[in-house]
Amino acid sequence: MHKRLLGCAVVAIAAMGCGDRAQKFDSAPNIVAKVALGNDLVFIDDASNMAHAVNLTTNEPQPKARRIPLPASPSYASLRPGHPDELLVTCNGSLDQYGDIVEPPSLNVIANHSLERGYELSSRYESTVWSDDGQYALFWASAQDEFLSTPDQVTLVDLDQEQGSANPYDRQLSEVGGSLGQAFLIPPLSVSNRERSLALFVFPGGMSFWDLSRPERHEVTATSHANGAFSVARVVADPVESKLYLLVRNSTDLWVVSLTAPDDPAAQNDFRPSINQLGLGTQVPSDLLVFGTGSGQRLLTVGGASLAVVASDDNQVTTIALPTTADSLTSFEGTAPGDSTSRTRVLAYGVGMGAVSFVDLEDLEIRTTRNIESVNLGHPLSRVVPLGNNELLMVFSDAAIGVLSLESRRFRPLIASVGLGDSRPTPSEGRVWVAPPGTERVGYFDADSLESGEIRLDRPIDQMFLFGTGSSQRVVVTHPSLLGTLTYFDARTPTRDHSRTLEGFLAEGIVYR
Amino acid sequence: MATTTSMSRDLAPTLVFVLGLTAASVAGAAEPSQNQAAPLTPKPATASVVAPSGPKPTSGSAAEGTPSTAVPPQGGEQRQVAPQSTAPTPDAAAPAVVPPEGTTNRAEGPVAQSGPPPGFPPAPYQGAAPAPLPTQLPAEAATESVPEPPKTYVHRFSLYVDYLGQWLTDTSYDLFSDGDVASRFGVTADADLLEPASGYELSVEAGWAREMAEGSVLFSRTDAGASVPSNLSTTLSVNHYHAGLRLRRVVAPWFMPHVRLWGGVSDIDVDLDAGQDGTYDSSAWRPFAALGAGASLCMLPRQKFALGVIAEGGFILQGSMRLEMNPSPQPEDIVTSGASLGKLKRSGPYARVGLFVRF
C-alpha cells in the first residue's frame, strides 16, 4: 500500500516536471532595421517577427513600446518614398522542415501603428528597387537556394493599390545575352505623347524596357555592343527630351537612350529605344546631372579631374578640366561671390579629397574653366550632408567637421576630439548633432554661429535619430544592448538632467506574446 | 492475593498488566511476541485484573460467556478485582475489557491497553489451558522477571520535512526554469487542536518553505543557432510563510487521510542579469491560499516518536507578480526606466510529499 502511494506520487511529480522553455525566451532579438516613422522609432526584429515601435515624442514619463506583429522573417525595412508615414517591410516568409512554404514572402506596409496591408510575393527575392514617387516596388534576383529559381523573374507591386489578381504582377523577362543583372525604375517620362513609368533591366548583352503602366505588354529589348559584361553605374532621366543617360562601369563613354515612337505602328509597344554611345574624353565618369540652359538641355558629367558637358539636342561634348578631383556633383540654386543673380550652380567634390570646386553652369561650354572656382577644405572629405539655406555640412574622415556656405563659398571648420568619419551628423532646426558610434558623447553646434556643446551619456552610442519639430523635438540615441536600450533628451535642453534612458523595450510584455 | 489500595494511577495499569501476564505465564498460555500489534487486549486469564485507565473509562460490556468480567471503578479510583477461579471457556474470544466505541489510543502517558484501537481487530483468544491458580507474587519480583508490556503514546504534535512541487504551466515561469514545476522545500509543525467528531482530529500548523529557480542563457540564440555575446540570466527566490488547518480522519493509527486548508504570504525576489546591459531586481509580497487533500502513513504508530510519510495534492491560488526591469543606476546616472516583461503567474496545482515525526 505504502509503495503504491509513493509510486503514484513519484509518477505524478515526474509528469508535472515535463515542459520546455518557450522559444521566445531562447532567441535573441535580431534587429534588422531601425527606422524613424513619424513619432515612433521602429525596431524590426527578425527573431520575434515583430516591429517594436517606441513613441518618443510623448510626454509620458516612460515611453512604452508598441508591438506590431509581422509575417515571418522580416529582412528589410525603409520608409516609402514620398510617404514618410508609411514603412515598407519585406519579409522572407517561412518554410517547414521539408522545405515547403508555410508562409510566403511578402511586402508589408506599416502605417498608423499597425500592419495596414500586405502583398504576397511569388518568390523570395534578394533585390528590391523603389520608384522615386513611392508608387512601385520592383523585386528581382530570386534567391538561389530555392529548389527551382528563375533568375529572370521579376515582381512588380503597385503600392497605391491593394493586393489583387494583378497586383503583385509577375513577369518572366526575356534574356539579353544572359541572366538579369540589374533593375532600375525610371521616373515618369513623356514618351509618344503619354507619360509613363518605365523599368529598365540590364543584361550582359543589353537592356530591356518594361512599361509599368501596361505591365501585360512585353518588354522592349535593346542590345549593346559593349565588350564584356554590361553593367550600369548610374541612370539619369531627362524628362524634357525623354532621354536616359547611362554611365556604364569601366567605360569612358556615355550611353544615351532616346525613347521615341516605333517605326511599326502595329507594334505591341508604342515606344522604341535607340542607343547612342558618346565618347566623353574624360576619365571614367562617376556622376552626372541634367540641367537646362537658354539654348536647351545639357548633361554634366564628372570623371576624375575633368568635366564633360553634353548638349542634348546634337550630343555635342565639351570637356573641361577641373582644378580638383571629384566623383560627385550637387546642384543648387543660389548666388555666388560677384554674382548676385540666383542661378543653377554645381558643387563638385570627391570622397577623400581636401578641396571642392564650384561650377557656374551659365555658358559653361564657352567660359569653361573661368566658371570654376575651387575651395580648399584642409581635411579629407568623408560625407556631405545638406543643411538647408544653401549650406552643406562637410564631414571629414579625420577628427573634423565643418559648414560650407554654397553662396559665400566660405568654409568654417570645427575640430573634434574623436574621428567623425563613421558618424552620421543629423541637422535639426539650426543645430547639427553629431554622435560618433562607440563613443558616449553627443556633440552639437549651431550651423550659423558654430557655438557648440556636448552631452555625455552613460552608454556607448550605436545610432542617432531626431524626432518631432519645434518644442517637442527630441534627440534619440540607441545603444548596443541585448534587449534594447536608448537615451532621449529634448533638443532644446540637451542636458543629463533632462535626459531619460529606456531599457529592455524589446522585451516589453514578452510574457504575453 | 493482596489488595493494593494506595497505588498511584500511573503505576496501576502496568502492575495490572504485569500481573495478568504473569498469571498467563504461570498458566502456560502462549505469549505473543512483543512486536505483535494485535494482542492489545489483555488476555482473558483465570485471574483477570483490570485497572482504571484514567480518562478512558472502560466499559463493562463483556461478551457473553466471559468467565470474568471486570467492571472499572468509577471516578478513576484504582481498584483490583479479585480473580474468579472459573476457567475460561474455549469460545470466549471477546476481551475482558472492550473500549468504548470511538475511543482512540491516546491517554496521558503510557497506559495499559484497554482494548483494540480503531482499525484493529479484536485479539483472538489465546486458548489458555486450565492451570492452577497463580500464587500470590510480589509486584517487585514480577517487574523484574517480566518484559515491558507494549505501550502507546499520545501524539499531539508533528514535525514535517517536505517537498512541494507546484505545477506552473504559464509561460511566465519559463523565464526561470526549463520545466513547469516550481520546487520548494520546507518544514512544517502542527499541533492537534481538538476532536470535532469521533475519529476526526483538527490540527493547526505553521511552516516555512524555500523556493529557488534559475534560468540561464536566455535570449542567447539566433535563428541560425549561433550564440550571441550577451544573454539574460534570471533568478527567482521565494520564502513562503504559511499557516493552516488540517482535518484528519483516523482510519487507523497508521493511516490518516486528511484535508488541509492553508495559506500565507510569499516573499518573492526576482533578479534579472543582462550582463553588460545591467542587472534588474524586483521583489514583492504576495498572499496565497491553498486547499489540499492527502494521507499520512505512520510507520510506527505506537512509538513515542512515530515516523511516517505524507502525500498530498491540491491547488495553490496566489496573486501574480509584475516582472519589471527595474534598473539600479548610480546617483549620477541618467534617470533610467525599465520595461515590463509581464506578470509572473503563481497559481497552480501542487503535489507534496514529506516525512514527519509525531510525538
Side-chain angles (χ1 to χ4, degrees):
Chain A
M1 183 68 174
H2 295 188
K3 290 181 178 178
R4 286 182 182 175
L5 287 175
L6 284 174
C8 290
V10 169
V11 170
I13 293 172
M16 290 164 63
C18 296
D20 292 329
R21 192 162 69 191
Q23 188 177 359
K24 62 187 177 185
F25 298 126
D26 283 338
S27 298
N30 182 27
I31 303 302
V32 296
K34 301 173 195 168
V35 184
L37 175 65
N39 294 327
D40 294 340
L41 181 55
V42 181
F43 297 76
I44 305 297
D45 183 10
D46 168 49
S48 64
N49 298 327
M50 203 80 73
H52 306 267
V54 186
N55 188 334
L56 292 161
T57 58
T58 176
N59 289 323
E60 293 178 8
Q62 181 172 336
K64 293 291 184 182
R66 183 185 292 108
R67 298 185 304 278
I68 304 171
L70 296 173
S73 301
S75 58
Y76 178 81
S78 68
L79 289 178
R80 181 183 175 189
H83 300 75
D85 55 345
E86 292 186 1
L87 180 64
L88 303 176
V89 182
T90 305
C91 299
N92 287 332
S94 60
L95 307 175
D96 63 13
Q97 57 179 329
Y98 306 107
D100 296 329
I101 294 177
V102 176
E103 196 172 344
S106 60
L107 172 65
N108 305 275
V109 180
I110 293 178
N112 300 319
H113 309 298
S114 64
L115 192 62
E116 196 167 73
R117 60 187 187 277
Y119 305 89
E120 284 189 7
L121 304 177
S122 58
S123 180
R124 184 161 57 84
Y125 292 99
E126 293 181 343
S127 299
T128 314
V129 61
W130 319 96
S131 63
D132 290 344
D133 59 0
Q135 181 180 359
Y136 295 109
L138 182 68
F139 293 86
W140 54 284
S142 297
Q144 297 296 311
D145 57 354
E146 294 184 353
F147 180 66
L148 291 175
S149 61
T150 50
D152 300 320
Q153 176 175 298
V154 298
T155 297
L156 179 71
V157 180
D158 185 346
L159 292 167
D160 286 346
Q161 306 294 327
E162 295 285 343
Q163 175 173 279
S165 58
N167 188 31
Y169 193 94
D170 293 336
R171 164 58 62 90
Q172 184 68 36
L173 301 176
S174 299
E175 288 192 350
V176 184
S179 298
L180 176 63
Q182 292 173 282
F184 299 89
L185 287 178
I186 309 300
L189 293 175
S190 179
V191 181
S192 299
N193 300 320
R194 191 167 66 83
E195 190 169 271
R196 67 194 77 199
S197 294
L198 296 175
L200 167 64
F201 302 109
V202 179
F203 296 87
M207 63 191 85
S208 63
F209 296 87
W210 187 23
D211 188 348
L212 302 185
S213 59
R214 304 280 177 82
E216 71 281 1
R217 294 183 175 180
H218 290 298
E219 63 273 17
V220 180
T221 301
T223 57
S224 77
H225 304 287
N227 296 325
F230 184 66
S231 177
V232 175
R234 285 288 311 273
V235 178
V236 171
D238 181 355
V240 177
E241 298 288 341
S242 297
K243 288 184 176 179
L244 298 178
Y245 298 98
L246 280 64
L247 296 182
V248 177
R249 286 194 175 89
N250 303 320
S251 171
T252 58
D253 292 347
L254 175 70
W255 294 62
V256 182
V257 181
S258 300
L259 300 171
T260 58
D263 298 332
D264 181 7
Q268 187 184 40
N269 280 288
D270 56 355
F271 71 95
R272 142 183 110 78
S274 61
I275 300 175
N276 195 358
Q277 194 169 342
L278 298 178
L280 296 176
T282 65
Q283 298 179 22
V284 175
S286 52
D287 200 3
L288 72 171
L289 59 83
V290 174
F291 64 96
T293 66
S295 56
Q297 292 292 101
R298 297 288 187 272
L299 177 76
L300 178 67
T301 70
V302 62
S306 58
L307 297 172
V309 182
V310 181
S312 180
D313 50 358
D314 59 0
N315 290 337
Q316 182 73 34
V317 178
T318 304
T319 303
I320 306 168
L322 266 180
T324 60
T325 300
D327 55 24
S328 300
L329 300 172
T330 294
S331 64
F332 62 96
E333 291 282 338
T335 62
D339 183 5
S340 58
T341 304
S342 180
R343 307 177 195 274
T344 301
R345 307 173 198 272
V346 168
L347 176 72
Y349 61 91
V351 173
M353 301 297 111
V356 296
S357 295
F358 286 90
V359 182
D360 293 336
L361 299 178
E362 186 74 12
D363 298 329
L364 178 60
E365 294 146 291
I366 300 171
R367 299 172 60 85
T368 60
T369 55
R370 286 176 291 170
N371 275 18
I372 298 173
E373 180 187 4
S374 65
V375 174
N376 186 28
L377 303 176
H379 300 275
L381 190 61
S382 172
R383 184 177 294 114
V384 173
V385 181
L387 292 179
N389 297 326
N390 275 341
E391 288 184 327
L392 289 180
L393 178 68
M394 316 299 280
V395 184
F396 302 101
S397 55
D398 59 1
I401 197 169
V403 176
L404 175 65
S405 172
L406 296 175
E407 293 190 342
S408 67
R409 299 179 182 179
R410 177 186 171 204
F411 174 65
R412 295 169 296 158
L414 275 173
I415 305 302
S417 59
V418 296
L420 302 175
D422 296 332
S423 65
R424 295 183 177 277
T426 307
S428 64
E429 296 166 351
R431 184 169 278 182
V432 178
W433 300 88
V434 184
T439 68
E440 295 185 353
R441 292 177 186 272
V442 176
Y444 59 92
F445 63 90
D446 190 281
D448 292 331
S449 65
L450 293 188
E451 183 179 346
S452 62
E454 65 181 45
I455 175 174
R456 178 178 59 83
L457 308 180
D458 292 333
R459 297 163 184 270
I461 292 169
D462 179 38
Q463 205 169 337
M464 180 177 63
F465 300 87
L466 281 177
F467 286 91
T469 56
S471 60
S472 63
Q473 191 169 44
R474 284 183 170 174
V475 179
V476 180
V477 176
T478 62
H479 308 285
S481 71
L482 177 66
L483 300 178
T485 304
L486 59 83
T487 300
Y488 60 96
F489 51 85
D490 194 327
R492 295 185 306 170
T493 54
T495 62
R496 289 175 60 84
D497 291 341
H498 290 82
S499 301
R500 296 288 182 275
T501 295
L502 181 62
E503 294 181 343
F505 52 84
L506 296 179
E508 176 84 33
I510 192 171
V511 168
Y512 308 124
R513 295 177 197 166
Chain B
M1 180 181 295
T3 301
T4 304
T5 57
S6 59
M7 190 174 293
S8 71
R9 293 172 60 185
D10 290 341
L11 292 177
T14 305
L15 177 58
V16 169
F17 195 83
V18 168
L19 289 176
L21 288 176
T22 305
S25 175
V26 169
E31 280 292 335
S33 62
Q34 274 284 25
N35 57 0
Q36 278 184 292
L40 298 176
T41 306
K43 291 184 294 294
T46 53
S48 177
V49 179
V50 177
S53 57
K56 293 185 180 302
T58 55
S59 72
S61 57
E64 187 178 355
T66 302
S68 64
T69 302
V71 178
Q74 298 300 314
E77 182 182 355
Q78 182 183 5
R79 181 178 302 171
Q80 252 183 332
V81 179
Q84 302 298 315
S85 59
T86 308
T89 57
D91 58 346
V97 178
V98 178
E101 187 178 354
T103 302
T104 63
N105 59 334
R106 301 192 296 117
E108 297 293 339
V111 296
Q113 290 298 321
S114 58
F120 281 76
Y125 177 58
Q126 298 297 322
L133 286 176
T135 56
Q136 184 178 354
L137 292 176
E140 293 78 7
T143 304
E144 292 173 357
S145 60
V146 178
E148 284 291 322
K151 299 175 182 178
T152 59
Y153 296 90
V154 176
H155 297 145
R156 287 195 179 279
F157 304 99
S158 303
L159 279 179
Y160 297 84
V161 177
D162 50 28
Y163 163 83
L164 187 149
Q166 186 184 3
W167 201 1
L168 298 175
T169 56
D170 188 77
T171 55
S172 58
Y173 188 66
D174 289 354
L175 272 171
F176 305 98
S177 174
D178 292 341
D180 289 336
V181 173
S183 299
R184 58 175 83 169
F185 296 88
V187 293
T188 303
D190 79 3
D192 292 351
L193 201 61
L194 54 88
E195 293 183 11
S198 176
Y200 290 90
E201 294 175 351
L202 183 67
S203 62
V204 61
E205 68 168 36
W208 163 85
R210 174 77 169 166
E211 175 187 342
M212 285 286 292
E214 290 184 353
S216 59
V217 292
L218 278 77
F219 306 110
S220 61
R221 286 194 299 108
T222 64
D223 285 347
S227 59
V228 296
S230 59
N231 55 64
L232 183 72
S233 298
T234 60
T235 303
L236 172 71
S237 63
V238 189
N239 284 306
H240 303 278
Y241 306 95
H242 66 263
L245 294 172
R246 183 202 317 263
L247 182 63
R248 267 193 297 261
R249 169 79 169 101
V250 184
V251 177
W254 54 271
F255 181 64
M256 290 173 286
H258 70 265
V259 292
R260 180 176 175 229
L261 178 64
W262 56 295
V265 291
S266 301
D267 179 13
I268 308 174
D269 284 314
V270 171
D271 295 337
L272 307 176
D273 185 354
Q276 295 179 344
D277 285 7
T279 57
Y280 311 93
D281 302 332
S282 57
S283 62
W285 289 83
R286 287 290 178 272
F288 68 91
L291 181 64
S296 303
L297 296 174
C298 195
M299 305 299 183
L300 302 167
R302 308 216 170 276
Q303 299 301 308
K304 186 173 183 179
F305 294 96
L307 299 177
V309 296
I310 186 172
E312 180 183 310
F315 193 89
I316 298 175
L317 189 65
Q318 187 169 31
S320 302
M321 176 189 176
R322 293 192 67 85
L323 294 171
E324 305 277 1
M325 295 180 66
N326 295 322
S328 49
Q330 300 299 316
E332 65 272 15
D333 285 352
I334 292 173
V335 176
T336 303
S337 57
S340 173
L341 304 183
K343 287 184 177 179
L344 175 63
K345 295 184 177 178
R346 300 284 303 166
S347 297
Y350 72 89
R352 174 192 178 215
V353 293
L355 302 173
F356 68 83
V357 56
R358 285 179 61 79
F359 55 94

